[in-house]
Amino acid sequence: MDFTHLHVHTEYSLLDGSNKIKELIARVKELGMDSVAITDHGVMYGVIDFYKEAQKQGIHPVIGCEVYVAPGSRFDKSGNMSSNRYHHLVLLAENDTGYHNLMKIVSKGFTEGFYYKPRVDKELLKEYHEGIIALSACLAGEIPDALRKGLYQTALNAAQEMSEIFGEDHFYLELQDHGIPDQKTVNQGLLRLAKDTGLELVATNDIHYTLAEDAQAHDVLLCIQTGKKVADTDRMRYEGGQYYVKSPEEMASLFPYAREAIENTHKIAMRCHVDIEFGHYKLPEFPVPEGYDSWEYLQKLVWDGFYERYPQADEKLKERVSYELNTIKTMGFV
């Protein structure tokens, strides 16, 4: 049976994930899987390390991110820490276009939407949806959250909206089972949604550490993040110790009623192909006026600006400008 973990937090989910990338990839390979995703919270800092290590160990890398989606505009920064400021959504790059769009979405989450977290909004998702496969995420996702509250119509509307944004074959309803009672309720709702909308299901495990025995160390990490003590009763926890890299067999046993959700994980992974080229500069094309090549036009701009700012310049200054220009040309940065 082919299965791929598509919801995975690494050490780059700061103080939330303890999965070291090298150990994660090795464990995936040990369990007989041929692919795995990276979906850190709101960031893509780990993507290059992940991509290189996966290729090194012969594992197919799926590049993604679990983003924070603002309920309204990303520019709205009102409310306090207790208000409902965002929902989770998993985004996976299907191809190079999707990879670049994902980088744009995540970057704008920091530069435009940051409010406690780097938030994006549906306007951004609509603008940069091409080449991206989306999953409805954990209990903190918009759709699971509505189902957990018994708001089926709200969940249905949200599912239809996401399907319209990404395309029916690019949006999946995400089943999870970590032994949490709310997940049983949500999963039943997701099955009903799949039937009512025609959307497909996908099964994930919200991975935050590599091995089952890492649960206690991860709990300490959460305490560091939240400024709490292990003995505190009123604090954030990942109950049940189920947030590790499970085998395909373990995942299949959790969802005997939705085998297609297991099979879809590998189908999605095999759709995702991103080629990251190393060793070459990615320089933009700069248009120049007719009658010039790039080198000639750069020199014109520099010397025009130079004489404007230094009309009485001596030979020493001119030599320095010539030196800098030739360095740019030699480096290939014209």
Side-chain angles (χ1 to χ4, degrees):
M1 178 190 61
D2 292 324
F3 174 81
T4 300
H5 282 291
L6 298 177
H7 192 137
V8 183
H9 298 285
T10 74
E11 59 203 297
Y12 288 92
S13 287
L14 187 60
L15 296 180
D16 189 34
S18 61
N19 246 332
K20 292 182 172 61
I21 286 174
K22 188 174 183 178
E23 295 171 5
L24 163 69
I25 303 295
R27 181 59 175 164
V28 164
K29 189 172 184 178
E30 182 184 2
L31 291 173
M33 291 173 273
D34 63 4
S35 49
V36 67
I38 181 172
T39 58
D40 282 313
H41 276 305
V43 302
M44 296 177 69
Y45 305 143
V47 163
I48 299 302
D49 286 349
F50 169 82
Y51 182 88
K52 287 182 175 180
E53 187 62 34
Q55 289 200 321
K56 180 180 176 181
Q57 295 197 39
I59 296 296
H60 176 64
V62 179
I63 295 173
C65 181
E66 186 172 18
V67 298
Y68 301 98
V69 184
S73 170
R74 65 189 183 276
F75 297 107
D76 180 8
K77 299 174 184 180
S78 58
N80 54 41
M81 288 191 69
S82 62
S83 64
N84 189 13
R85 297 183 314 277
Y86 51 78
H87 286 111
H88 293 190
L89 183 70
V90 174
L91 304 179
L92 306 173
E94 183 180 27
N95 48 38
D96 291 344
T97 298
Y99 175 52
H100 287 91
N101 279 336
L102 185 57
M103 286 193 286
K104 291 172 185 174
I105 290 170
V106 171
S107 295
K108 287 181 180 291
F110 276 96
T111 61
E112 298 177 352
F114 197 95
Y115 186 59
Y116 296 100
K117 301 287 186 182
R119 306 170 313 149
V120 304
D121 59 16
K122 289 175 183 175
E123 179 187 18
L124 275 180
L125 299 180
K126 289 175 185 176
E127 184 176 357
Y128 297 112
H129 73 277
E130 187 180 353
I132 290 178
I133 297 173
L135 318 181
S136 61
C138 55
L139 289 177
E142 182 180 11
I143 295 167
D145 183 55
L147 292 172
R148 185 170 55 86
K149 295 173 180 175
L151 305 173
Y152 182 77
Q153 188 60 46
T154 301
L156 177 62
N157 294 341
Q160 290 172 333
E161 183 179 21
M162 287 298 176
S163 179
E164 290 170 3
I165 290 174
F166 293 100
E168 187 174 330
D169 62 341
H170 282 71
F171 179 67
Y172 289 77
L173 300 171
E174 186 174 348
L175 300 171
Q176 291 189 344
D177 189 348
H178 305 97
I180 300 172
D182 277 352
Q183 287 179 329
K184 303 291 186 185
T185 302
V186 168
N187 286 347
Q188 290 304 309
L190 291 171
L191 291 171
R192 181 183 169 190
L193 276 177
K195 184 177 180 182
D196 289 348
T197 62
L199 292 171
E200 292 196 62
L201 299 161
V202 63
T204 71
N205 205 57
D206 195 352
I207 296 173
H208 283 258
Y209 43 89
T210 308
L211 305 173
E213 51 265 38
D214 296 335
Q216 186 175 1
H218 180 258
D219 194 44
V220 173
L221 188 71
L222 291 181
C223 289
I224 296 171
Q225 179 202 154
T226 56
K228 297 286 187 177
K229 295 180 180 178
V230 173
D232 290 342
T233 55
D234 182 22
R235 68 175 177 84
M236 179 183 178
R237 296 174 185 270
Y238 283 78
E239 298 283 4
Q242 298 298 308
Y243 299 84
Y244 62 94
V245 182
K246 293 180 178 176
S247 68
E249 293 73 24
E250 286 177 287
M251 292 301 297
S253 68
L254 288 172
F255 303 99
Y257 55 86
R259 184 172 179 84
E260 73 278 9
I262 296 292
E263 294 172 348
N264 280 339
T265 63
H266 195 258
K267 290 178 182 178
I268 291 170
M270 293 301 102
R271 285 172 58 183
C272 294
H273 289 278
V274 173
D275 294 315
I276 302 177
E277 186 181 28
F278 300 101
H280 298 281
Y281 293 117
K282 306 294 191 297
L283 298 177
E285 287 285 335
F286 190 92
V288 298
E290 190 174 346
Y292 290 93
D293 62 24
S294 295
W295 172 234
E296 291 168 345
Y297 191 55
L298 174 63
Q299 292 182 90
K300 171 180 165 46
L301 290 174
V302 170
W303 286 116
D304 285 353
F306 174 79
Y307 286 117
E308 179 183 339
R309 290 165 178 77
Y310 303 99
Q312 307 298 324
D314 59 20
E315 288 302 314
K316 188 175 181 181
L317 272 178
K318 293 177 184 177
E319 288 174 7
R320 180 58 188 267
V321 172
S322 296
Y323 173 81
E324 297 294 351
L325 276 170
N326 286 319
T327 298
I328 292 170
K329 184 180 181 183
T330 303
M331 294 290 289
F333 292 154
V334 171

